[in-house]
């Protein structure tokens, strides 16, 4: 089955994003908000996360750990921004090419 989970960014989150990502063109800014606060996934993804952990890559069904943390209120936007070295848009759109260790 298909699972759609989302929430609207609150006013503080929007202000933070506008302050830190105002350099993005409007369509990319909207895309960033969509990636941060919307999940489109399948029922098996959560089983795979539990069993194998999150995986890298960019697919339509990927449940990104940053988006999960933001949608469910596990981390504030500021921590997500810091975890991605101040590059949330690039985190969601650039393929991972190096081992972080």
């Amino acid at each position: 089955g298909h699972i759609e989970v989302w929430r609207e960014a609150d006013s503080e989150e929007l202000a933070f994003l506008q302050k830190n990502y105002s350099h993005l063109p409007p369509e990319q800014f909207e895309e960033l908000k969509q990636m941060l606060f919307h999940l489109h996934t399948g029922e098996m993804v959560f089983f795979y996360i539990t069993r194998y952990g999150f995986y890298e890559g960019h697919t339509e069904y990927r449940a990104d750990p940053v988006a999960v943390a933001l949608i469910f209120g596990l981390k504030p936007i500021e921590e997500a921004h810091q975890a991605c070295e101040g590059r949330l848009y690039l985190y969601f759109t650039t393929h991972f090419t190096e081992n972080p260790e």
Side-chain angles (χ1 to χ4, degrees), residues 36-49:
L36 289 171
F37 298 104
H38 183 265
L39 287 177
H40 173 219
T41 192
E43 62 191 64
M44 291 302 294
V45 170
F46 299 106
F47 166 77
Y48 292 133
I49 290 170

Side-chain angles (χ1 to χ4, degrees), residues 17-60:
L17 289 174
Q18 289 168 343
K19 176 184 174 191
N20 290 280
Y21 296 95
S22 62
H23 63 279
L24 294 175
E27 63 276 356
Q28 288 180 343
F29 187 80
E30 289 302 315
E31 181 183 20
L32 176 61
K33 288 192 321 188
Q34 179 77 4
M35 291 183 287
L36 289 171
F37 298 104
H38 183 265
L39 287 177
H40 173 219
T41 192
E43 62 191 64
M44 291 302 294
V45 170
F46 299 106
F47 166 77
Y48 292 133
I49 290 170
T50 302
R51 187 162 187 167
Y52 305 110
F54 287 95
Y55 67 93
E56 295 180 352
H58 301 286
T59 67
E60 183 179 357

Side-chain angles (χ1 to χ4, degrees), residues 3-101:
I3 299 172
E4 299 269 346
V5 181
W6 69 92
R7 73 171 180 83
E8 297 297 321
D10 66 29
S11 60
E12 291 177 11
E13 291 166 327
L14 286 175
F16 180 86
L17 289 174
Q18 289 168 343
K19 176 184 174 191
N20 290 280
Y21 296 95
S22 62
H23 63 279
L24 294 175
E27 63 276 356
Q28 288 180 343
F29 187 80
E30 289 302 315
E31 181 183 20
L32 176 61
K33 288 192 321 188
Q34 179 77 4
M35 291 183 287
L36 289 171
F37 298 104
H38 183 265
L39 287 177
H40 173 219
T41 192
E43 62 191 64
M44 291 302 294
V45 170
F46 299 106
F47 166 77
Y48 292 133
I49 290 170
T50 302
R51 187 162 187 167
Y52 305 110
F54 287 95
Y55 67 93
E56 295 180 352
H58 301 286
T59 67
E60 183 179 357
Y61 281 92
R62 181 173 186 261
D64 187 90
V66 172
V68 170
L70 290 173
I71 290 168
F72 292 103
L74 303 173
K75 297 283 182 186
I77 189 80
E78 296 84 2
E79 285 186 36
H81 174 77
Q82 290 172 350
C84 297
E85 300 175 348
R87 299 178 296 181
L88 280 170
Y89 184 79
L90 291 176
Y91 167 81
F92 279 99
T93 59
T94 304
H95 291 291
F96 302 103
T97 57
E98 61 183 57
N99 187 344
E101 296 174 351

